[in-house]
Amino acid sequence: MKSVKKFSFIVSFLVLLALLTLAPAAVSGAQEADRVYINGVVYTVDKDFITASAFAVKDGKFVYVGDDSGAQAFIGPLTYVFDLEGKTVIPGLHDAHVHIRYGERELYPRIPDIRPGIGEWASVERMQEVIKRCLATGEGMRPGPEPRWLVLSGWMSDVWDPPVFRKELIDAVAPDNPVFISRYTHGSGANSKALELAGITRETPDPPGGHIKKDQNGEPTGEFVERAPSQLTRLIPPLPPMTDYERSRNLVEGTQLAIASGLTTIHGASMTGYEEVQRRIKLYDVGLLRIRINEMVREDAAKKLGKPLNHNDKYFIRSVKAFADGALGSRGALFLEEYSDYPGYRGEPRQSEDEIAKSATELLKIGFNMRIHCIGDAANRTAIDAYERALNATGLDGKNARFALEHCQVLTAEDVPRLAELGIVASMQPLHATEDMHFAESRIGPERLKYAYIWSDLLDLGVVVATGTDYSVSPYNPFYTLHAAVTRQDRNNNPPGGWIPEQAMTREEALRAATMGGAYAMFAEDILGSIEIGKLADFVVIPVDYMTIPAEDIWKIGPEMTVIGGEVVYTKPVQAQK
Ligand SMILES: [Zn+2]
């Protein structure tokens, strides 16, 4: 066996030499592939969206894509031929924005979440039940003297009646213990006991980067927009830091689940630091991490690295994550005009245009770009203006910089065309539209909504849209994303006809945004994102035809097989017969 391997190594070395020395026309001769897949419906997602029935993989790359008869030439004595039996194959899916460090939320929860599941909403009754349970069992209770703190996450009051968070809703079940509960995205809330211990009253001014919501009588409601007051948060005993083992376990197990859902590349949006980068490289080197990760790091980590990283085409770093504002649901998103449902308030800025322009310019000079969280129209404008200044300062064109707007939720009419002009990537989350539809119009009104979640308009302008989920804000399942992108509906088919359906993507656009969109955003469109000769063999086998099944069923698709670099990294478990 060993000598065969050695021999094939020598052969491939000779072939490589031949490739290097011969004219391209002489290279077209067939070569024996490791695996040949035939009899499928293969959506290649190449430039013309061509459908093939077969492909061949050798040394982790596609060496042939076409029809079954053409594949025969790649079958040698050692080739494994895989009959797809009419099943569909799509390129490996990307999630262009995910918080992998929270991979532990589902697996080993450290903070109880009141949601029945990620992407589902908890009622007031459910929230109260979870609080009662935690007080009785000690789950979620922090160590320390009585009265002990209970810390939870996951509320979303916009589906409540009335749609308002109030401390009294928690007081009713937790009068004696301080309770702090973060929203499902940015923002948080607390009960009366917590406010009392922190000394927060009607006179307390807003903290830096945050806002204490008060009712019409000036009484704090218990809700905090963006950053909660530090006089409260510093009273909460912290969780013990995670051990190195726990972090590694969460990352490895969390990414295995992502692979099982059809993801082959994820873009980490958690501002990863230098030490964590080094730990992840080690996990790759010992073979524990199998998914490809494109990491958005902290600015200091990028500067310490000194230049972009590509570790064996598995681990990529070329972007710095930053924030220009908060979230829409919590009213932390920054707008040019006041909130329609909260007069006198425009949201919370996080970084100024000058700060972003300075960072972006310095980073471009060492080969990195920026991907900035921008939800409100003012935040998006701040980042676009700053990006433009950095391009002017360095003389680079937009395509070489590929700055991104993470979320890119609400734009203005005048800023929309600037994305195309400046080559800015729109990194958007279709599930956010089908979650935010419960409150977006009341927050910003019908006029601003015309330039919100405008996937279709951006695509028509030629802007590259890369889709993702912002897990654990939304579920990471990429078929949920494809479904929301195509239908603009939730998974109960609501609203009928879709929410602002003219901004839906076609199935082809949605699949492209979930594959080539992500690959482009990470400067890897030459090696990832489609099933084309020469690219790394990342693909997913699904049992139904994504292009023709009823749109309402797209979210139900589950992979039968996920392949990364030619290696089968997931197969659907077979149900044993009883
Ligand atoms: Zn995020």
Side-chain angles (χ1 to χ4, degrees), residues 41-55 65-66 89-91 511-512 515-516 529-532 535:
V41 179
V42 183
Y43 294 114
T44 60
V45 195
D46 69 353
K47 190 164 59 57
D48 301 316
F49 207 76
I50 277 171
T51 309
S53 68
F55 56 92
V65 182
V89 180
I90 55 176
L511 187 55
R512 209 177 274 288
T515 52
M516 285 303 292
S530 62
I531 298 174
E532 291 182 88
K535 285 198 175 185

Side-chain angles (χ1 to χ4, degrees), residues 355-376:
E355 286 168 331
I356 298 170
K358 180 172 177 286
S359 297
T361 306
E362 287 171 10
L363 289 165
L364 273 187
K365 287 178 181 164
I366 56 167
F368 289 84
N369 72 3
M370 290 188 86
R371 297 178 60 167
I372 305 184
H373 168 113
C374 304
I375 304 271

Side-chain angles (χ1 to χ4, degrees), residues 97 99 321 407 470:
H97 187 123
H99 294 281
K321 172 83 186 292
H407 311 306
D470 204 8

